[in-house]
Amino acid sequence: MLLVAVVVDVLTPSGFSVFPLLAAVPVLAAPVYSLSGTIATGVVTQLIGISLAYTKENITLTEHFVRFTSVVILTVLAAILNQVMAKDRKQLKDTREVAEAVQRAVLPASPERVGPLDVASRYRAAAKEAAIGGDLYAIHPTPDSVRMMIADVRGKGLGAVRTVNRLLGAFYEAAAHDSGLTDVVDRLEELMQWVDAEEEGTESFATAVLIDVPNDGSAIYVINLGHPAPLLVHQGRASPLEPSAPSLPLGLGDLGRTRVPVDRYTLPHGATLVLFTDGLVEARDRHGAFYDPVPFLSRPLPADPGVILDALLADLTRYTEGRLDDDAALLAVTRLPDASDGTHKTRSRT
């Protein structure tokens, strides 16, 4: 802006004033620079304004004084604005740090290996939100299998955190004691119905995917409750594991859910199962187009769940230019090469 003011002053007749351009400079510096940088910008603006004024023969002493005083006042106001904005940025940063700390406490890092699986998890908070989201994931070994869940609770804030904590507790208890995956779903549905009854006037529900992987690692059993389909990544191809029949989310079972279908898929050696919440697939680029993880995952990738998730999030950041409108939780598991093989080589449904 200073450069534009000088160029315009040189190229225009002597009666043309560039003072409005100069007056805007300290104000424009306030949200960009530090306090010292803002004040320094005001001082430089004042010096340039005085220099330009002396090249104009028709400027009176009063006009000099008015312009000088105006730049001083605007620099002071810009410094005050700079401090107000710096305080707001610090408060927002502190709030986000608290939210992230609570999120890490609710969703601690997953173990690197569980049963026949290598495991990795990631959480990416929305850029414009400081509230804690309702995204969650969990993995729990049993004597016969490994059970895992990824879910997204409706809403944000403390209410969502309470529901997340209850869902996690109910999942760990049910995964350890209930014999079937549908029994785990029944336990979680009871919890969500109880949450609705406790918090009158609100309707709480959660989309979810629950998975059971036998210890031999040969198959995966999947229940999808209105959640984005997991992706099976193997040999340069990402395949969505779509449910055989749609099912209502947790908390909405009283609207007419029957027994939920359990879909069975094979899990080859070195294959990676990627689970995620809708914050990933509902992210948009600058033109409003949704992000699709399938093309990126349909390429040669190492059989390392952590590397795959890091690469996927890097591609998401590139696609959205760092703007994420909703939180995204990701969980990936890779079948280890030493996991014993089962017999089923084709997909079937039960």
Side-chain angles (χ1 to χ4, degrees):
M1 184 67 75
L2 288 172
L3 179 60
V4 169
V6 173
V7 172
V8 170
D9 185 79
V10 171
L11 298 179
T12 55
S14 58
F16 186 85
S17 175
V18 296
F19 175 73
L21 296 177
L22 295 176
V25 171
V27 179
L28 292 177
V32 180
Y33 295 151
S34 63
L35 176 62
S36 58
T38 301
I39 295 175
T41 301
V43 172
V44 173
T45 301
Q46 189 71 271
L47 294 175
I48 292 178
I50 293 173
S51 301
L52 295 179
Y54 276 112
T55 65
K56 306 290 185 180
E57 299 178 355
N58 57 345
I59 295 181
T60 65
L61 182 62
T62 302
E63 288 177 298
H64 277 299
F65 177 77
V66 170
R67 294 183 180 185
F68 178 87
T69 306
S70 298
V71 173
V72 171
I73 293 174
L74 287 171
T75 300
V76 172
L77 293 176
I80 295 173
L81 176 64
N82 176 275
Q83 289 302 284
V84 171
M85 297 180 70
K87 182 179 179 181
D88 289 343
R89 285 194 294 266
K90 184 178 184 304
Q91 289 177 341
L92 179 59
K93 180 176 179 291
D94 292 343
T95 302
R96 284 178 174 168
E97 288 177 350
V98 170
E100 290 174 0
V102 174
Q103 197 75 59
R104 287 193 296 270
V106 173
L107 296 177
S110 58
E112 294 183 357
R113 179 168 182 172
V114 179
L117 305 171
D118 268 340
V119 182
S121 59
R122 299 290 186 270
Y123 192 95
R124 179 65 58 86
K128 69 177 184 179
E129 294 284 357
I132 306 170
D135 302 57
L136 65 110
Y137 51 77
I139 186 166
H140 184 75
T142 72
D144 300 318
S145 65
V146 176
R147 289 178 174 173
M148 65 191 80
M149 173 180 69
I150 191 163
D152 189 356
V153 176
R154 173 181 177 269
K156 288 183 176 291
L158 294 179
V161 171
R162 286 194 296 267
T163 304
V164 165
N165 276 322
R166 290 166 175 171
L167 270 178
L168 287 172
F171 170 78
Y172 286 126
E173 181 181 359
H177 298 99
D178 291 343
S179 58
L181 204 56
T182 55
D183 297 327
V184 178
V185 172
D186 291 341
R187 184 81 65 94
L188 298 178
E189 178 64 34
E190 290 177 4
L191 169 70
M192 294 300 295
Q193 294 289 341
W194 179 80
V195 169
D196 274 348
E198 181 186 52
E199 301 179 6
E200 295 183 4
T202 64
E203 184 180 52
S204 182
F205 63 88
T207 65
V209 169
L210 288 90
I211 293 177
D212 200 18
V213 181
N215 284 338
D216 64 6
S218 61
I220 47 178
Y221 297 90
V222 183
I223 292 179
N224 192 320
L225 304 169
H227 198 81
L231 297 175
L232 184 63
V233 181
H234 184 55
Q235 295 180 344
R237 182 181 179 186
S239 304
L241 304 186
E242 299 288 353
S244 57
S247 294
L248 292 170
L250 293 169
L252 301 180
D254 56 347
L255 298 181
R257 178 197 293 144
T258 57
R259 197 69 171 174
V260 294
V262 181
D263 297 327
R264 182 190 182 281
Y265 305 85
T266 57
L267 185 62
H269 289 294
T272 299
L273 185 65
V274 179
L275 302 93
F276 47 86
T277 56
D278 59 8
L280 179 75
V281 292
E282 292 183 358
R284 300 171 184 257
D285 64 6
R286 63 171 62 187
H287 305 294
F290 290 111
Y291 178 72
D292 183 3
V294 173
F296 178 79
L297 294 176
S298 297
R299 61 180 65 184
L301 292 169
D304 184 319
V307 172
I308 289 176
L309 291 187
D310 289 338
L312 181 61
L313 287 175
D315 186 63
L316 175 68
T317 300
R318 177 200 59 78
Y319 184 84
T320 63
E321 298 179 348
R323 299 186 302 271
L324 197 62
D325 295 330
D326 194 9
D327 295 357
L330 301 93
L331 180 67
V333 295
T334 300
R335 184 184 177 190
L336 297 169
D338 57 353
S340 61
D341 201 354
T343 57
H344 301 282
K345 293 297 183 181
T346 59
R347 170 180 161 183
S348 64
R349 299 183 186 274
T350 60

